[in-house]
Amino acid sequence: MKRWDLKIVLKSDLCTATGENVPGITNVKTALEYGIPYVPAKRIKGCLVEAGREMADNGIIEEGMMRQLFGAPGLEYERGVYIQDAHLYSAPKHLFGLNEEGSFTIKDYEQFRKAAESCPELDDSFLEEVFTRRRARTAIDAELGSAQAHSLRTVQTVPAGIVLKARLEGELSDEGGRALELCAKGLRHMGLGITRGFGEVRCSLEMVSSGKRDCAVPVNQYKRGLLEEFSPEEEVELAYEIRLDSPVIVEGDTGVHMDCLPGAAVLGALAGMYIRKYSLGANAHEDENFRRIFLRDGVQFGYGFLKKGDKQYIPCPKALAVKKDDQSEWFNIWCENPRRKDISGQIFLEDNELHVAVPQKEIHFHHARPADRGIAHALNDRAEDTTHQTGQFFEYIALSKGQVFAGTWKGRAKDIEKLAECLADNAWRLRLGRSKTAEYGECTFCIKGVKRSGQGKSPAVTGKEWLVWLVSPMVLEDENGGPFFEWSSIKEQAEKIMGYPAKEFKSACSYTVVNGYNSKWRMPSISYPALAAGSAFYITLDTDEDIRISELEGKRWGLMTGKGCGQIKLEPWSRVDKGGNICNSDEGHPPAPETSGNESDDGMLAQLCSYYEEKTKCENLSLDKLDTIKREELPPSSSIELLLQILRSQNGEPGFYEEIKLQAEKIAKESKKKRVLELIAPCQGESYEFMKHYLENAKWKVRSRDKDED
């Protein structure tokens, strides 16, 4: 796997619009993460593709090279380079109120961001103020020569001089690497307003040596002897955690965006690793081990559910609900029957308290350009000729990065060992969900422990009366081992799976469809009707002996257990028959490791803290100096606003005071020029931040004077 760093130097202000705005303040916002600007990976990929097409049209690179670099829709396997978001790498010192040349550089962006989030002074609004600017523009009426009514728009931009860096990865030939470098050099504009002076960039590609370790990859947590205490044929259960390092798009079987990581998605990622490791290619199904592990349910890949702190959340059983007029308490629908409302979110039951949590999601907007590159915007259904791709706007709903999802795998020790080796060879990273080649799907895998199958955490919990519910869909099995399409004998199915007759049985079920997509066939997989996650059963077993939870929870119900279907959860009936309180989860993610500014940058974090203190001090000092000037001696507010515009255009670069003074001396009217020069005189030798607050306060002081005179 080859790696490159794509360095993007902003030669003019840049706006990578996200579709968001702030009503009354900003019409178009640029992409930000905790107030820090970044460029989404899909924007980078789109711009590289456009640059590559231009070069292919002019014969600089071969036409077939584009498929090798960036892939194409409908391919059996992923191709091309994987592109990550471009994050802040360096910023000019003048953005931090320093009247000097040079810039601050970030060594590890993730550590820098976590350190900034943990610093109480550096909230996202302050960082947004430091790293972005607002630019106003309007449309001109061609006939009148003046601004059109209601056409003023304010755009948030990232100032020129900032440098961002993105990581690219891929299996490319030497020729492919040279073509990718040409695409990077040909990328000269990105974002909004490229015909109006925005978005001019210079890009360069730097190969990352194979020995240079990515800071985002954890230390090697796998030891070859991890499974030595188990015999190769012994059934074991591996507990895992998956941390989302980027947003992940996961769609359910019915097209609904899921709140968990399906077992089929993890199975597909591991199958791809296995094929590459053993060079199986298109004949993977002929390999005995591959067939057993991935095609014959040899390993059961469990669903991954949200984990916060030490609490593992799972889908709520449909037997539990909240009262419609009092949603602070939950009850069992088979014990009470008031007007009720379903519990949304995932749950963790502790004593009689039901903790509820909902995975964080976010919406991302994207723009696919038409096949005709002369058209720079999506036509959607407005195009007269729809035989060719006319472009479209679309959105993705994704699980937010930084969340942790946990689950289990079950299988033979020798098979689990092979999967662990695949993960270790891939530095414990995997990609899940849709659109994995750019911006989405990057995850880190962590093994939390391995135990013998059937060894539960609470083997002492026994009983005959249970609440049983599905935490993943269940495909019922008929007497011939095929999918079951009749719902009239769910009780018989449950008795068959549990191995005990049921003295009492109640059910609260809903139904869904289990399907998928087979990339080898390039068509949807077979659809099966199934019981949906959350389907619940009240079961009293007709047996003389009490049954342990671990004996029942260790089983997977129905078919397609290799893809995670049929996972169940049990609770003794005595714990859920009387109800209790609802507690909304407020646990955060695991605390970030403590870092200092010296570990993540060359002084940027320390300068941000110092700049915050300087900003607060300048606000007070500017008011004191402004009080020495009488209101009637101040120039008009229009003149002060013009001074502010000149100041903003300088972006805090050295010599901003001299430039403003030079412009003020060009004023023709002597009395007005004298008042302007007297106003800015106290700013000589002061910082950019001081002058900005000084002029802002002067403008409002003049407006107050004019109001009093009126």
Side-chain angles (χ1 to χ4, degrees):
M1 181 72 72
K2 296 181 180 179
R3 296 182 177 184
W4 300 266
D5 280 337
L6 177 67
K7 187 180 291 186
I8 304 173
V9 182
L10 305 190
K11 293 297 184 179
S12 66
D13 290 0
L14 168 73
C15 177
T16 53
T18 62
E20 298 179 358
N21 65 357
V22 181
I25 300 177
T26 305
N27 299 98
V28 181
K29 284 182 67 69
T30 192
L32 298 173
E33 181 181 36
Y34 194 72
I36 306 172
Y38 75 98
V39 180
K42 276 195 172 295
R43 309 295 176 86
I44 300 173
K45 183 175 181 178
C47 293
L48 288 174
V49 169
E50 286 298 310
R53 285 176 179 170
E54 291 289 342
M55 294 186 178
D57 290 345
N58 290 279
I60 300 176
I61 63 175
E62 296 181 4
E63 182 65 35
M65 189 60 65
M66 294 295 293
R67 290 171 65 92
Q68 180 184 343
L69 292 179
F70 305 109
L75 295 179
E76 180 179 350
Y77 301 108
E78 292 180 12
R79 280 190 183 179
V81 292
Y82 173 77
I83 304 174
Q84 297 181 359
D85 295 337
H87 292 292
L88 183 65
Y89 175 67
S90 72
K93 292 185 176 181
H94 64 76
L95 295 182
F96 307 92
L98 299 177
N99 192 9
E100 57 184 86
E101 300 288 345
S103 60
F104 291 109
T105 303
I106 297 175
K107 299 176 183 177
D108 186 337
Y109 170 78
E110 287 299 325
Q111 287 190 10
F112 170 80
R113 180 181 58 80
K114 290 175 181 177
E117 289 180 358
S118 62
C119 186
E121 295 88 358
L122 305 182
D123 59 7
D124 55 349
S125 60
F126 172 72
L127 294 174
E128 186 174 341
E129 182 181 348
V130 173
F131 291 115
T132 65
R133 300 290 183 264
R134 287 201 297 270
R135 296 287 180 261
R137 61 187 184 186
T138 188
I140 300 298
D141 191 306
E143 296 182 359
L144 301 178
S146 59
Q148 292 182 4
H150 311 296
S151 64
L152 179 64
R153 296 291 182 269
T154 303
V155 180
Q156 186 182 49
T157 63
V158 185
I162 280 181
V163 181
L164 304 106
K165 185 181 286 188
R167 174 62 54 87
L168 279 64
E169 299 178 354
E171 295 288 353
L172 298 181
S173 61
D174 293 340
E175 184 181 358
R178 288 191 291 270
L180 182 63
E181 186 175 356
L182 288 174
C183 291
K185 289 182 178 179
L187 175 53
R188 296 302 178 92
H189 296 89
M190 64 168 51
L192 295 183
I194 60 176
T195 61
R196 295 170 176 82
F198 287 173
E200 183 181 357
V201 298
R202 292 294 181 272
C203 300
S204 60
L205 203 65
E206 176 186 353
M207 174 73 76
V208 179
S209 62
S210 57
K212 186 177 179 181
R213 187 172 164 272
D214 193 337
C215 296
V217 176
V219 296
N220 194 342
Q221 53 195 299
Y222 171 67
K223 297 180 175 59
R224 300 290 170 177
L226 180 67
L227 298 169
E228 280 185 354
E229 62 178 289
F230 309 103
S231 64
E233 299 297 328
E234 188 173 4
E235 290 286 330
V236 299
E237 184 174 304
L238 178 144
Y240 72 83
E241 287 183 0
I242 294 178
R243 182 178 182 87
L244 308 188
D245 298 323
S246 66
V248 174
I249 305 168
V250 182
E251 287 190 356
D253 299 312
T254 57
V256 178
H257 296 273
M258 301 187 68
D259 293 338
C260 59
L261 302 181
V266 181
L267 181 151
L270 268 295
M273 292 183 189
Y274 193 95
I275 291 172
R276 290 191 295 270
K277 178 178 176 64
Y278 295 100
S279 303
L280 300 181
N283 299 319
H285 60 284
E286 299 177 0
D287 181 80
E288 179 183 353
N289 292 327
F290 182 88
R291 189 165 57 245
R292 181 184 66 255
I293 294 173
F294 299 105
L295 304 180
R296 298 290 183 264
D297 296 344
V299 174
Q300 298 176 347
F301 294 86
Y303 275 51
F305 297 105
L306 180 67
K307 186 173 184 180
K308 287 189 172 184
D310 59 348
K311 292 183 175 63
Q312 173 73 65
Y313 293 84
I314 57 176
C316 181
K318 298 187 180 299
L320 306 184
V322 293
K323 297 178 181 179
K324 202 159 189 178
D325 54 354
D326 183 8
Q327 299 183 19
S328 63
E329 295 184 358
W330 63 275
F331 66 95
N332 192 314
I333 64 172
W334 291 315
C335 299
E336 299 182 51
N337 193 25
R339 296 177 67 238
R340 65 176 186 261
K341 182 179 180 181
D342 291 338
I343 298 174
S344 60
Q346 300 177 12
I347 64 161
F348 175 81
L349 184 61
E350 186 176 35
D351 297 329
N352 68 332
E353 291 186 340
L354 201 65
H355 298 263
V356 181
V358 179
Q360 296 178 0
K361 293 183 180 180
E362 54 196 43
I363 299 176
H364 294 256
F365 297 96
H366 298 285
H367 170 202
R369 292 182 62 179
D372 183 357
R373 297 203 302 277
I375 304 173
H377 59 278
L379 299 177
N380 287 52
D381 55 356
R382 294 173 296 167
E384 297 180 0
D385 181 10
T386 58
T387 57
H388 301 286
Q389 180 183 347
T390 58
Q392 61 177 330
F393 285 104
F394 60 97
E395 66 180 33
Y396 282 148
I397 300 177
L399 294 168
S400 301
K401 64 182 274 190
Q403 300 181 96
V404 175
F405 292 80
T408 59
W409 294 349
K410 296 183 64 177
R412 299 178 186 178
K414 64 179 183 180
D415 295 336
I416 298 294
E417 180 93 11
K418 290 181 178 294
L419 297 179
E421 290 175 357
C422 290
L423 286 164
D425 292 344
N426 284 271
W428 302 99
R429 297 165 61 198
L430 69 162
R431 298 182 184 125
L432 302 175
R434 297 183 56 184
S435 197
K436 296 186 287 291
T437 58
E439 192 169 341
Y440 301 100
E442 185 79 8
C443 304
T444 299
F445 191 95
C446 180
I447 296 176
K448 303 304 292 182
V450 181
K451 65 182 181 182
R452 287 179 174 82
S453 183
Q455 288 183 344
K457 295 181 180 179
S458 305
V461 180
T462 61
K464 301 177 185 178
E465 196 175 12
W466 302 95
L467 173 65
V468 184
W469 74 94
L470 301 175
V471 297
S472 66
M474 173 189 171
V475 180
L476 297 178
E477 181 181 3
D478 64 14
E479 58 185 11
N480 297 318
F484 187 63
F485 294 92
E486 297 293 335
W487 309 110
S488 58
S489 58
I490 296 178
K491 176 184 176 182
E492 287 75 9
Q493 289 282 312
E495 289 176 333
K496 177 182 176 182
I497 295 168
M498 298 178 71
Y500 299 96
K503 184 184 300 182
E504 292 186 56
F505 184 88
K506 299 177 183 178
S507 64
C509 301
S510 61
Y511 309 109
T512 185
V513 176
V514 173
N515 50 30
Y517 183 82
N518 190 307
S519 61
K520 184 173 180 58
W521 298 342
R522 301 184 190 179
M523 62 186 299
S525 301
I526 300 174
S527 299
Y528 298 104
L531 293 176
S535 296
F537 312 96
Y538 163 67
I539 301 177
T540 301
L541 299 177
D542 188 5
T543 176
D544 295 333
E545 299 179 359
D546 287 344
I547 308 302
R548 293 184 307 176
I549 279 185
S550 58
E551 182 179 344
L552 298 178
E553 278 191 346
K555 298 180 179 180
R556 300 277 175 94
W557 291 21
L559 300 177
M560 301 177 65
T561 56
K563 295 183 178 180
C565 293
Q567 289 180 250
I568 65 167
K569 175 68 176 174
L570 285 88
E571 286 290 346
W573 186 253
S574 59
R575 293 188 60 189
V576 296
D577 62 339
K578 297 180 180 178
N581 299 323
I582 290 285
C583 300
N584 291 322
S585 174
D586 57 356
E587 300 96 336
H589 302 307
E594 294 185 4
T595 58
S596 64
N598 294 330
E599 294 178 358
S600 58
D601 58 79
D602 61 356
M604 184 184 295
L605 189 66
Q607 183 57 39
L608 280 169
C609 296
S610 175
Y611 182 45
Y612 178 83
E613 296 177 359
E614 177 68 19
K615 175 176 174 292
T616 305
K617 188 186 300 182
C618 287
E619 289 177 355
N620 298 327
L621 183 60
S622 63
L623 288 173
D624 295 339
K625 288 200 173 184
L626 191 61
D627 287 341
T628 61
I629 303 177
K630 297 180 180 180
R631 289 202 310 176
E632 56 271 14
E633 297 177 356
L634 292 173
S637 61
S638 58
S639 300
I640 301 177
E641 179 61 35
L642 184 59
L643 296 176
L644 277 168
Q645 292 182 16
I646 299 173
L647 179 65
R648 294 190 192 103
S649 67
Q650 297 298 306
N651 279 332
E653 296 179 3
F656 61 87
Y657 174 79
E658 288 73 15
E659 176 64 25
I660 291 177
K661 184 178 179 181
L662 179 64
Q663 296 297 328
E665 289 175 345
K666 294 179 181 179
I667 299 175
K669 192 174 181 179
E670 286 297 327
S671 60
K672 184 177 180 180
K673 177 169 67 174
K674 179 181 178 182
R675 294 163 74 181
V676 170
L677 292 174
E678 288 178 352
L679 172 66
I680 65 174
C683 299
Q684 186 172 7
E686 297 290 351
S687 65
Y688 172 88
E689 191 67 28
F690 171 86
M691 192 168 190
K692 183 179 71 172
H693 288 288
Y694 179 83
L695 293 177
E696 286 282 359
N697 291 327
K699 180 178 69 174
W700 292 109
K701 189 174 183 178
V702 169
R703 289 185 177 180
S704 175
R705 176 196 66 187
D706 296 343
K707 182 180 178 181
D708 293 343
E709 290 178 354
D710 292 342

mmCIF file of all heavy atoms in Angstrom, residues 47 66 151 205 335 442 509 530 636:
data_model
loop_
_atom_site.group_PDB
_atom_site.id
_atom_site.type_symbol
_atom_site.label_atom_id
_atom_site.label_comp_id
_atom_site.label_asym_id
_atom_site.label_seq_id
_atom_site.Cartn_x
_atom_site.Cartn_y
_atom_site.Cartn_z
ATOM 1 N N CYS A 47 -12.247 17.315 -7.721
ATOM 2 C CA CYS A 47 -11.320 18.250 -8.380
ATOM 3 C C CYS A 47 -10.172 17.513 -9.056
ATOM 4 O O CYS A 47 -9.734 17.893 -10.152
ATOM 5 C CB CYS A 47 -10.787 19.251 -7.352
ATOM 6 S SG CYS A 47 -12.028 20.383 -6.701
ATOM 7 N N MET A 66 -7.398 6.787 -15.772
ATOM 8 C CA MET A 66 -8.383 7.374 -14.877
ATOM 9 C C MET A 66 -9.093 6.305 -14.059
ATOM 10 O O MET A 66 -9.378 6.490 -12.877
ATOM 11 C CB MET A 66 -9.405 8.179 -15.685
ATOM 12 C CG MET A 66 -8.830 9.406 -16.366
ATOM 13 S SD MET A 66 -8.249 10.636 -15.182
ATOM 14 C CE MET A 66 -9.804 11.136 -14.458
ATOM 15 N N SER A 151 -30.129 40.927 -3.146
ATOM 16 C CA SER A 151 -29.097 40.063 -3.726
ATOM 17 C C SER A 151 -27.828 39.994 -2.879
ATOM 18 O O SER A 151 -26.880 39.314 -3.260
ATOM 19 C CB SER A 151 -28.736 40.540 -5.133
ATOM 20 O OG SER A 151 -28.152 41.839 -5.077
ATOM 21 N N LEU A 205 2.213 16.712 -4.340
ATOM 22 C CA LEU A 205 2.068 15.349 -3.822
ATOM 23 C C LEU A 205 3.417 14.861 -3.329
ATOM 24 O O LEU A 205 4.421 14.932 -4.049
ATOM 25 C CB LEU A 205 1.530 14.438 -4.924
ATOM 26 C CG LEU A 205 0.809 13.168 -4.489
ATOM 27 C CD1 LEU A 205 -0.461 13.519 -3.737
ATOM 28 C CD2 LEU A 205 0.475 12.314 -5.694
ATOM 29 N N CYS A 335 -47.863 -6.247 31.252
ATOM 30 C CA CYS A 335 -48.286 -6.088 32.651
ATOM 31 C C CYS A 335 -49.211 -4.889 32.826
ATOM 32 O O CYS A 335 -50.032 -4.851 33.739
ATOM 33 C CB CYS A 335 -47.068 -5.939 33.561
ATOM 34 S SG CYS A 335 -45.958 -7.355 33.529
ATOM 35 N N GLU A 442 -13.870 5.162 7.207
ATOM 36 C CA GLU A 442 -12.596 4.817 7.857
ATOM 37 C C GLU A 442 -12.832 4.460 9.321
ATOM 38 O O GLU A 442 -13.413 5.246 10.078
ATOM 39 C CB GLU A 442 -11.624 5.988 7.751
ATOM 40 C CG GLU A 442 -10.249 5.692 8.283
ATOM 41 C CD GLU A 442 -9.398 4.891 7.326
ATOM 42 O OE1 GLU A 442 -9.832 4.695 6.170
ATOM 43 O OE2 GLU A 442 -8.305 4.462 7.726
ATOM 44 N N CYS A 509 -44.048 -8.477 17.882
ATOM 45 C CA CYS A 509 -43.098 -8.549 16.770
ATOM 46 C C CYS A 509 -43.407 -7.508 15.696
ATOM 47 O O CYS A 509 -44.527 -7.025 15.571
ATOM 48 C CB CYS A 509 -43.121 -9.942 16.136
ATOM 49 S SG CYS A 509 -42.705 -11.286 17.253
ATOM 50 N N ALA A 530 -38.145 -11.393 7.457
ATOM 51 C CA ALA A 530 -37.495 -11.641 8.745
ATOM 52 C C ALA A 530 -38.227 -10.898 9.847
ATOM 53 O O ALA A 530 -38.939 -9.918 9.603
ATOM 54 C CB ALA A 530 -36.032 -11.200 8.697
ATOM 55 N N PRO A 636 -17.237 60.467 9.832
ATOM 56 C CA PRO A 636 -18.509 59.760 9.601
ATOM 57 C C PRO A 636 -18.341 58.240 9.685
ATOM 58 O O PRO A 636 -17.250 57.705 9.455
ATOM 59 C CB PRO A 636 -18.903 60.205 8.191
ATOM 60 C CG PRO A 636 -18.121 61.450 7.933
ATOM 61 C CD PRO A 636 -16.856 61.332 8.704
#
